[in-house]
Amino acid sequence: MEVSLSGSVRDAVDGLASVEVEAETIRELLTRLIDRYPKLAHYPEEGIAVAIDGTIYRDSWETPIPKGSEVFLLPRIVGG
Amino acid sequence: MNDPKYTGQDFKVVGTRVKRPDGLDKVTGRARYGADMSAPGQLVGLMLRSPHAHARIKKIDASKAEKLAGVKAVITSADLPDLTGGNSGLYDTLENCMARDRALYDGHAVAGVAAIDRTTAKKALKLIKVTYEKLPHVTDVDEALNDDAPIVQPRYAQEGRHGNLINKGEFGHGDIDKGFAEADVIVERSYKTGQTHQGYIEPHACLASVSPDGTGELWVTTQGHFAYRNNCAQLLGMDIAKLKVTSSEIGGGFGGKTHVWMEPIALALSRKANRPVKMVMSREEVFKASGPTCSTSMDIKIGAKKDGTIVAARAECRYMNGAFPGMWGTLGGMTAFACYNIANNQAIGVNVLCNRPKVAAYRAPSAPMMAFGVESTIDQLSKELGMDPVELRLKNVAREGTLAPYGPVWGPIGIEPTLEAVRDHPHMRAKLGKNQGRGVACGFWFNIGGQTCSDLNIGPDGTVNLTVGTVDVGGARASLGLIAAEELGIAYEDVRTNIGDTSSLGHNDTTEGSRGTFSSGMATIFAARKAIDVLKERAAMMWQIPAESVTWENGSAHAVGSEHGNLPPLTLKDIAKKAGNTGGPIAGHHEATADGAGVSFASHIVDVEVDPETGKTTILRYTVVQDAGKAIHPDYVEGQFQGAAAQGIGWALNEEYIYGEDGRLQNGAFLDYRMPVCSDLPSIDTKILEIPNPSHPYGIRGVGETSIVPPLGAIGNAVSNAVGVRMYEVPMSPPRILKALDGAEA
Amino acid sequence: MAGVHVTTTINNDPVEYVCPADESLLDVLRDNLGLTGVKEGCGTGDCGACSITLDGQLVCACLVLGAEAEGRAITTVEGMADGEKLHPLQEQFINNAALQCGICTPGFLIAAKALLDENPSPTETEIRYGLAGNLCRCTGYDKIVKAVQAAAKDLRKQNKKKK
């Protein structure tokens, strides 16, 4: 599954715009990515979000990732 | 059952304009805000603050202050050990609450006192001797990146980049260089925006009470009492569950009350003195030592083909974070081109440190600045192309299926409908006179979901208590009551909504990111549905029929099927009355993360008149069109549109932090930090569009923030059309407009 | 320091207090007398959140000394309703959603009442300038103006009936 990375998150994967990884839930996805790119480790605690087919998930890590969905890793948004 | 998908249902009470439950208290003076609570034996807490923009703190001698009769506690950073466990964000909060080895901005707290009255506390502050060694300072975002600029936070400096440059967030897709090569017309400009403050009328205030056994209570004005609890407890080494935080009514926040400023110090003083401590910021302290927004400096370049197709767009914006880093640049980069479908786009947000207070979120943080640059540039592009500015935007508008600049593909969104509504609005056809001009601009903001719990309890008389954990900043209690009434099928007047304290509910995320009604609304819907399940079971018991034969409609349980169909329905009140005999109190609660928040787009129209002699800009007419998904209570949705637009107008025309050569804030008072008053504004017309959010049962989108985004660009465009000068710096205050007019004449 | 003994009338009730000579009437009302309806937004007379009337004149309580209240009549928001009957301004503020956070509302109610007492049929411009001494950050003033217009109508009707 291709996972695209947005903005400042790319810094942690040596500037790549996308990576290949297999995962069935958001939690699996993050765990596998952190294994491969340790610089991502601080993100889950300090601020990351995952978009699946356009819907942004900041917290629900058990959310399943359906096959063929478009997945994006983004910084965690805050508001005011 | 807990499926958040939009159902497209018809509503009975949702969408009606009911009276809000806290209205009576607020018009009679009975409502209690942060500074309205007192406790027996309470002490007055005051803060000593640095008069220097940047200085090493060599020594603090508080001995005379401690000895003064009536002084019960003095706190310096020596009393605040680092319990942050390596969490840099939390350490920043600790250092911002009270300076450790250096004062980092004019107004940075260096000591706190608690005394029996204000007079004694003020005397005590004067008796504290601080030995400073002044250091060079920098307060301008571009100067902070000069080779010789003093470094604000050496611990954040990294190899290979300027010591004050924290990070860059880059967003976009396509091939920028190729795109610009294909363009027939290119407009490239630089812009600056000044630092502004959220300007809430209620200063930060709290009443802290800590006991020797490690338990504590905090009454505080805040957008997030759970976040405040967690931060304060962590910083002070208290167990989170032992600190009970009650949110007072809040007198405005807009993002500025999502962060602790002096609350940990009030708690520390209370702990040391073993007495309650009341701490209220003065207005000057609010300006100097809470969290204003970023000032910025940006470069925008947009290129289009002759037919108006925008083929390339690039933005780089330097965000001034204050003395501690945040994600402001990232948010700007994500939002810059969100309204448009541009094949090759790149937006870079840069975070830069300066000797200014720690920046906090301000309603759609970071978006208004980039939008000023982007919307101004698009208008200039429309002039070069000879195209109508609304048509140019429509030609390049983002739609469902467009790739958003920050990554995902848009679902159904409202930007095109809002632009079409603007194009067709009668405002666009109103006549304009001499020195008058019209401007249009678009804006975007995300919404967030977050952790939420709601508790719905049905009383013995069938009236309902709904307890939620999201602070009500603007009237959401009415909307949440409507939602509960809608789900249960009862009258709005039978529901009472309260904000629970931190010991009444599980964790609730802060009311920010336009999430209050969205998230608590979602939790309320599911809590109500669970309560309905219980009500049906109880009805089944009362009828002595199987539970499957009971449905819930119009606020009553109905027995269905040929066998039981003629049983008269049982109302919620009937069932509640008998609850004691059918299993006890009836309730439903829901704890969840409300993800799937939608996004909200807006387009604004403004007419201005510029006086070429004084440079004063008068707003003649203003129209907001914004997508709300579903307006639960239209009055309060309109109120958000109007309030956000008014803040944007102030930002565009008059508001800015003015720093002297000495790095000190010169205008920390409402007289010279000039926010709009009633006579500055006309009526603000609003049009609510409803393009449902597919990930919420009612289609709700958060609306609170987006409409602060378009005004800067819209007004810049209007001024340009009024008197023929393009403004590149915000606020477009009279001196700047006069200078631009002089420049144009020359 | 010796305090100043003050005898005054607040919302038609006789009140006595002792206060330091340099204490503002705002602090006396809030901290001494527990009348927290009046709010401090700035302490410098710029925001109007502490609006009261002193012998019928609209003033900022933060710019008046507690000692200056001697022998005068003060009205605060707590005195606007008549028992459980709200003043038409209070009713219309609720009906027209003229408040969001509500912190500026007491000040606006007092200022609007002072305006309508002097000018029962103000134009929109007169309302906007009459309320220019009160800051609101939430509403953009639109619904506040509409509420004042609605209340003005109610009051004119009420006063017509009386005649």
Side-chain angles (χ1 to χ4, degrees):
Chain A
M1 162 174 70
E2 190 189 347
V3 174
S4 308
L5 297 117
S6 209
S8 38
V9 185
R10 285 187 201 163
D11 278 354
V13 298
D14 309 317
L16 293 171
S18 74
V19 295
E20 277 290 327
V21 65
E22 286 309 312
E24 305 218 336
T25 64
I26 292 184
R27 183 183 298 282
E28 263 182 37
L29 173 69
L30 292 172
T31 313
R32 295 203 180 138
L33 282 174
I34 290 170
D35 271 345
R36 213 189 296 172
Y37 302 99
K39 282 200 248 180
L40 278 173
H42 72 98
Y43 265 103
E45 207 177 298
E46 295 191 12
I48 202 160
V50 178
I52 301 175
D53 284 336
T55 303
I56 299 181
Y57 298 90
R58 288 191 336 159
D59 295 301
S60 312
W61 288 2
E62 306 316 316
T63 307
I65 307 179
K67 291 233 174 305
S69 26
E70 188 211 29
V71 182
F72 253 95
L73 231 58
L74 330 159
R76 184 184 169 92
I77 306 148
V78 296
Chain B
M1 150 70 165
N2 288 352
D3 185 357
K5 286 210 182 34
Y6 173 61
T7 56
Q9 69 199 77
D10 282 327
F11 294 107
K12 294 209 169 68
V13 295
V14 157
T16 59
R17 296 175 191 249
V18 298
K19 286 192 183 160
R20 58 193 279 178
D22 54 328
L24 205 63
D25 281 354
K26 288 183 174 169
V27 299
T28 54
R30 206 162 34 211
R32 280 183 302 187
Y33 294 83
D36 296 336
M37 185 65 88
S38 289
Q42 77 185 13
L43 304 170
V44 172
L46 287 182
M47 212 74 99
L48 183 67
R49 297 184 178 279
S50 166
H52 306 297
H54 195 192
R56 190 171 314 283
I57 298 171
K58 303 198 79 171
K59 187 170 148 175
I60 303 181
D61 179 359
S63 54
K64 286 212 173 78
E66 279 166 333
K67 291 201 196 81
L68 182 66
V71 171
K72 303 301 179 186
V74 178
I75 293 276
T76 66
S77 62
D79 299 286
L80 301 166
D82 176 6
L83 302 171
T84 62
N87 182 330
S88 64
L90 205 55
Y91 186 84
D92 287 347
T93 300
L94 177 66
E95 187 175 24
N96 189 50
C97 284
M98 187 149 288
R100 297 178 88 74
D101 63 325
R102 282 176 306 137
L104 296 166
Y105 53 89
D106 171 29
H108 196 175
V110 301
V113 308
I116 54 173
D117 57 39
R118 199 180 170 73
T119 308
T120 309
K122 278 163 83 170
K123 275 201 192 118
L125 289 184
K126 287 206 172 84
L127 291 173
I128 299 178
K129 290 275 162 283
V130 185
T131 310
Y132 293 104
E133 179 199 320
K134 274 169 79 163
L135 298 169
H137 63 268
V138 62
T139 55
D140 177 79
V141 67
D142 287 326
E143 283 172 25
L145 295 176
N146 288 347
D147 289 332
D148 59 351
I151 303 303
V152 178
Q153 289 280 25
R155 63 189 160 93
Y156 276 109
Q158 276 184 49
E159 277 289 316
R161 54 163 76 131
H162 192 292
N164 288 327
L165 197 163
I166 297 300
N167 56 34
K168 290 190 190 194
E170 182 180 322
F171 298 87
H173 48 262
D175 183 335
I176 273 288
D177 296 323
K178 180 164 163 292
F180 280 121
E182 290 170 10
D184 297 320
V185 177
I186 295 179
V187 175
E188 186 171 8
R189 302 279 188 268
S190 294
Y191 304 85
K192 288 169 85 94
T193 67
Q195 181 166 41
T196 58
H197 192 275
Q198 302 83 351
Y200 32 85
I201 307 300
E202 179 203 27
H204 300 271
C206 71
L207 177 61
S209 185
V210 181
S211 297
D213 66 352
T215 61
E217 289 187 21
L218 183 70
W219 166 272
V220 62
T221 174
T222 172
Q223 290 173 243
H225 44 320
F226 291 86
Y228 273 38
R229 174 192 66 169
N230 300 349
N231 277 347
C232 287
Q234 285 172 293
L235 290 175
L236 296 173
M238 293 174 73
D239 290 336
I240 283 178
K242 291 197 179 144
L243 179 59
K244 178 166 108 168
V245 182
T246 306
S247 70
S248 67
E249 295 293 341
I250 177 177
F254 316 110
K257 291 179 178 163
T258 57
H259 196 288
V260 296
W261 304 111
M262 43 92 184
E263 294 77 4
I265 308 304
L267 286 160
L269 283 165
S270 174
R271 182 164 63 182
K272 201 170 184 187
N274 195 10
R275 280 170 70 162
V277 172
K278 183 165 173 177
M279 206 159 200
V280 180
M281 273 195 182
S282 68
R283 179 52 53 182
E284 189 183 6
E285 286 180 298
V286 174
F287 276 117
K288 286 188 169 178
S290 61
T293 191
C294 303
S295 58
T296 68
S297 158
M298 69 191 101
D299 312 305
I300 314 279
K301 182 176 176 183
I302 304 184
K305 297 201 93 62
K306 267 199 288 273
D307 71 351
T309 310
I310 297 177
V311 287
R314 189 182 183 280
E316 181 175 311
C317 186
R318 295 161 288 286
Y319 284 85
M320 193 285 304
N321 282 218
F324 299 89
M327 63 178 307
W328 315 113
T330 300
L331 294 171
M334 291 169 87
T335 59
F337 297 116
C339 298
Y340 304 106
N341 177 9
I342 301 172
N344 307 292
N345 67 84
Q346 181 188 56
I348 302 170
V350 185
N351 288 312
V352 179
L353 296 187
C354 277
N355 291 110
R356 291 202 193 193
K358 183 178 200 279
V359 163
Y362 176 15
R363 210 164 196 163
S366 305
M369 303 78 148
M370 278 278 215
F372 172 60
V374 171
E375 293 295 311
S376 298
T377 307
I378 287 184
D379 245 47
Q380 291 169 81
L381 193 60
S382 75
K383 285 203 162 57
E384 302 246 346
L385 291 167
M387 261 186 95
D388 173 86
V390 178
E391 289 306 326
L392 176 59
R393 288 173 170 83
L394 274 168
K395 190 170 175 65
N396 295 282
V397 77
R399 299 189 173 96
E400 181 166 6
T402 301
L403 184 59
Y406 58 90
V409 168
W410 293 122
I413 53 174
I415 182 62
E416 188 170 16
T418 62
L419 270 171
E420 286 170 338
V422 155
R423 181 194 57 199
D424 302 335
H425 200 286
H427 182 166
M428 294 299 279
R429 293 184 284 289
K431 281 212 179 325
L432 290 166
K434 190 169 190 297
N435 294 324
Q436 295 182 352
R438 177 166 301 144
V440 167
C442 300
F444 159 80
W445 188 248
F446 321 86
N447 307 146
I448 62 180
Q451 294 190 67
T452 323
C453 337
S454 285
D455 217 354
L456 190 145
N457 287 285
I458 299 178
D461 64 349
T463 55
V464 177
N465 273 122
L466 174 66
T467 304
V468 300
T470 43
V471 174
D472 180 0
V473 295
R477 266 167 290 194
S479 301
L480 296 171
L482 281 167
I483 290 172
E486 184 75 46
E487 284 294 314
L488 294 171
I490 60 177
Y492 167 74
E493 290 71 29
D494 284 347
V495 181
R496 181 80 190 176
T497 309
N498 310 286
I499 315 300
D501 63 45
T502 57
S503 57
S504 310
L505 291 168
H507 178 83
N508 271 266
D509 278 338
T510 302
T511 300
E512 58 173 26
S514 309
R515 68 175 290 265
T517 305
F518 170 84
S519 311
S520 278
M522 180 138 28
T524 299
I525 290 168
F526 297 129
R529 291 180 185 175
K530 286 182 191 167
I532 289 172
D533 281 348
V534 177
L535 287 161
K536 290 194 299 186
E537 274 168 31
R538 303 299 181 88
M541 276 185 229
M542 288 161 74
W543 282 322
Q544 295 183 295
I545 66 177
E548 308 79 60
S549 305
V550 183
T551 62
W552 187 266
E553 249 179 79
N554 298 327
S556 302
H558 295 257
V560 294
S562 49
E563 241 186 291
H564 315 290
N566 1 339
L567 286 167
L570 285 168
T571 67
L572 187 146
K573 286 191 160 81
D574 294 332
I575 302 170
K577 206 165 162 190
K578 296 284 196 276
N581 303 125
T582 56
I586 300 175
H589 61 91
H590 189 74
E591 295 83 32
T593 49
D595 267 324
V599 294
S600 183
F601 286 90
S603 298
H604 292 193
I605 315 168
V606 63
D607 290 351
V608 305
E609 177 172 326
V610 179
D611 183 334
E613 295 218 17
T614 62
K616 180 179 172 192
T617 303
T618 304
I619 306 286
L620 300 171
R621 185 169 172 172
Y622 205 100
T623 302
V624 173
V625 183
Q626 187 178 336
D627 173 19
K630 173 66 196 168
I632 304 297
H633 193 316
D635 282 352
Y636 291 100
V637 172
E638 288 166 1
Q640 291 299 319
F641 292 2
Q642 292 166 332
Q647 285 180 315
I649 290 168
W651 194 336
L653 292 180
N654 291 100
E655 295 177 39
E656 67 177 320
Y657 270 40
I658 298 173
Y659 277 84
E661 285 291 311
D662 58 359
R664 304 199 70 187
L665 180 65
Q666 297 188 337
N667 63 334
F670 283 141
L671 186 64
D672 295 316
Y673 180 86
R674 178 69 164 78
M675 302 187 336
V677 299
C678 199
S679 50
D680 290 326
L681 299 175
S683 261
I684 300 175
D685 277 327
T686 59
K687 192 175 168 70
I688 303 174
L689 298 188
E690 292 181 323
I691 291 101
N693 170 9
S695 305
H696 188 285
Y698 290 9
I700 296 177
R701 295 178 188 272
V703 296
E705 295 169 283
T706 304
S707 273
I708 198 175
V709 181
L712 279 64
I715 292 171
N717 295 337
V719 166
S720 168
N721 291 325
V723 286
V725 288
R726 172 57 61 177
M727 300 307 292
Y728 296 101
E729 196 169 350
V730 152
M732 295 169 254
S733 51
R736 289 204 178 99
I737 293 208
L738 286 176
K739 192 159 172 224
L741 286 170
D742 281 343
E745 268 172 47
Chain C
M1 129 177 16
V4 179
H5 179 248
V6 177
T7 307
T8 183
T9 308
I10 302 181
N11 298 327
N12 293 319
D13 292 331
V15 176
E16 270 184 67
Y17 56 80
V18 175
C19 69
D22 62 347
E23 190 170 25
S24 71
L25 180 56
L26 174 61
D27 286 343
V28 169
L29 288 169
R30 287 181 53 83
D31 300 333
N32 202 334
L33 302 174
L35 288 165
T36 56
V38 66
K39 309 293 179 196
E40 175 166 338
C42 69
T44 52
D46 296 311
C47 75
C50 65
S51 297
I52 57 166
T53 59
L54 196 58
D55 287 343
Q57 185 180 19
L58 181 66
V59 298
C60 285
C62 69
L63 295 180
V64 178
L65 292 173
E68 291 183 79
E70 173 68 39
R72 324 237 338 237
I74 295 167
T75 306
T76 69
V77 72
E78 287 93 341
M80 276 184 78
D82 178 10
E84 55 172 20
K85 189 165 178 295
L86 291 179
H87 188 280
L89 277 166
Q90 290 170 308
E91 286 272 12
Q92 292 297 2
F93 263 61
I94 297 178
N95 293 345
N96 288 274
L99 56 145
Q100 287 180 31
C101 81
I103 193 85
C104 70
T105 303
F108 266 98
L109 288 169
I110 292 287
K113 181 170 184 299
L115 168 71
L116 295 181
D117 282 348
E118 198 183 300
N119 180 356
S121 304
T123 62
E124 181 179 335
T125 306
E126 284 169 332
I127 293 175
R128 286 186 177 276
Y129 276 87
L131 297 177
N134 292 71
L135 282 177
C136 173
R137 198 54 162 168
C138 293
T139 66
Y141 306 103
D142 191 289
K143 293 180 190 292
I144 291 177
V145 171
K146 295 198 164 67
V148 174
Q149 288 169 325
K153 208 164 161 193
D154 289 343
L155 285 164
R156 289 193 296 268
K157 227 186 205 164
Q158 256 179 39
N159 292 335
K160 223 178 186 172
K161 280 203 187 124
K162 283 195 193 146
K163 294 192 181 122

